[in-house]
Amino acid sequence: MNVFPLEPDKHFSAVVSQCEAVLKTGARMVLVGGDSSGLKALGIATQKVTGADVPVIQVTGGVAGQLSHAQPVILSVDLQELAGKWVSHPRRLTGMSPAQMIAQIDTTPGNVTAAAVFGLAPALDDRGRTESCAALAILQAVTERLEKGAG
């Protein structure tokens, strides 16, 4: 995507329009970034394409309500919710393991049409490598869930 991080207004509208263009083709998409800023743009773009409110389901929030298989949803994966032993600079020791996140991704209800994966900040040490490997496994699970479509 063509982004403009130093121009917030231009940046946001550019991300929304580019997400919308991709989603209009029928493709599913994953935004990967350092923070959650793309999630809002992705939500607006998905709403424009579908014409309906599209719920955002957080992986760490568990399975949300009773959604039909056809209900379009956006998956939100915050890698800062990994347990302390999986991240470079832990703020806490609690959290989810990569396997727990992957299990939640697999059981997410609805028709996952888009996902945002954010919060990765690996250090350049052995623990950063661990975080990157965990993030890659989680991203692979997100990709497989998008390919599956309706859950």
Side-chain angles (χ1 to χ4, degrees):
M1 294 195 159
N2 191 12
V3 297
F4 307 92
L6 299 177
E7 300 175 59
D9 292 336
K10 186 176 182 180
H11 173 77
F12 186 76
S13 62
V15 173
V16 169
S17 64
Q18 291 172 84
C19 287
E20 186 179 356
V22 170
L23 293 169
K24 279 183 179 178
T25 69
R28 299 175 189 274
M29 72 181 303
V30 179
L31 288 182
V32 179
D35 63 30
S36 64
S37 63
L39 187 57
K40 182 176 179 182
L42 185 57
I44 290 170
T46 305
Q47 183 178 8
K48 286 182 175 185
V49 171
T50 64
D53 285 332
V54 179
V56 173
I57 298 180
Q58 296 178 350
V59 168
T60 55
V63 177
Q66 299 296 326
L67 296 173
S68 74
H69 290 293
Q71 169 70 48
V73 297
I74 298 170
L75 186 60
S76 172
V77 183
D78 184 353
L79 297 173
Q80 290 297 313
E81 296 300 323
L82 283 167
K85 72 177 193 174
W86 293 101
V87 295
S88 305
H89 301 289
R91 295 172 290 178
R92 58 186 164 50
L93 297 177
T94 61
M96 299 178 82
S97 71
Q100 289 171 313
M101 281 193 170
I102 290 168
Q104 288 293 100
I105 291 165
D106 290 341
T107 59
T108 299
N111 184 8
V112 181
T113 58
V117 180
F118 54 92
L120 179 65
L124 297 175
D125 61 13
D126 190 42
R127 291 187 68 168
R129 183 177 182 281
T130 300
E131 184 176 358
S132 294
C133 290
L136 287 173
I138 292 165
L139 186 57
Q140 179 64 37
V142 167
T143 302
E144 290 170 3
R145 182 61 182 87
L146 284 169
E147 290 172 354
K148 180 177 159 185

